[in-house]
Amino acid sequence: MIPAGYRLIIASNRDEFYFRPTAKARFWEKNPNLIAGMDLKPGKEGGAWLGMTTDGKFATVTNYRQAPKFFGPSTTGRGYLVPDFLKGDGNVESYLKTVSGQSEKYHGFNLLVGKLSQTDETKVGWYCNIEDKQVTMMEPGIHVLSNKVLNCSWTKMDYGRKDLLKY
């Protein structure tokens, strides 16, 4: 159950690659309706792991924990998936379908995107390019996502789910 007064709560932390240069969350100069942190690693500049817009779009990406054999030089940075959605038209399902058609370009990831709405139903979708490989439009409720698939049982996810159920 979401605490009274909230339609959506997203909690996230960046828990890996602390040495990687990043900018703190702020409104982006070239996209002033978009707020997010930013990857500053050369060749990856402009990517983000969590962001939202003033008109209610939001997106987050997590790495999918996988064996190093999948890592190749031809992959595209996963961090671009977040700002690409946020700068686009906001159609959750069509964006995820487009990403699913190009998923081999990326190292393993989970992508969660959504659009809050005052008048229509809020739409939230998820896609993983390693397991499942289907666009999933999510139902209301408590969902947890880490470095595996949505709502799987993993110790840190189980703790998070348990803590959220207290509210």
Side-chain angles (χ1 to χ4, degrees):
M1 172 175 234
I2 296 176
Y6 295 93
R7 293 179 46 219
L8 177 72
I9 297 172
I10 297 176
S12 177
N13 72 314
R14 185 169 184 236
D15 63 355
E16 58 186 325
F17 307 127
Y18 295 117
F19 59 86
R20 193 166 174 158
T22 59
K24 292 181 181 182
R26 67 182 191 294
F27 284 99
W28 288 15
E29 188 175 316
K30 293 183 180 180
N31 298 93
N33 75 322
L34 187 162
I35 186 169
M38 185 182 290
D39 195 339
L40 300 176
K41 181 179 179 182
K44 304 288 184 183
E45 304 100 330
W49 53 96
L50 172 67
M52 65 182 303
T53 63
T54 56
D55 63 348
K57 291 183 281 187
F58 60 90
T60 190
V61 66
T62 69
N63 296 342
Y64 181 96
R65 192 175 286 178
Q66 64 190 113
K69 70 178 183 174
F70 289 101
F71 297 146
S74 64
T75 58
T76 302
R78 296 166 283 210
Y80 297 116
L81 295 168
V82 168
D84 286 352
F85 174 73
L86 298 175
K87 292 187 252 180
D89 69 8
N91 185 309
V92 171
E93 193 166 8
S94 67
Y95 181 74
L96 290 174
K97 285 181 180 178
T98 298
V99 168
S100 74
Q102 307 167 8
S103 67
E104 71 286 344
K105 295 178 5 181
Y106 304 93
H107 292 158
F109 69 86
N110 285 288
L111 179 63
L112 185 73
V113 300
K115 175 83 167 97
L116 298 173
S117 174
Q118 296 293 330
T119 56
D120 297 327
E121 182 180 314
T122 294
K123 298 195 180 339
V124 181
W126 166 73
Y127 176 75
C128 175
N129 73 333
I130 302 298
E131 287 187 50
D132 197 23
K133 295 188 179 184
Q134 299 182 68
V135 171
T136 301
M137 296 306 293
M138 297 168 58
E139 296 294 323
I142 293 175
H143 300 279
V144 291
L145 180 62
S146 186
N147 304 105
K148 197 77 169 144
V149 293
L150 184 71
N151 295 322
C152 74
S153 181
W154 202 349
T155 303
K156 65 182 176 179
M157 294 170 65
D158 294 339
Y159 285 133
R161 184 181 295 109
K162 181 180 171 188
D163 285 347
L164 284 171
L165 287 170
K166 292 176 187 176
Y167 296 99

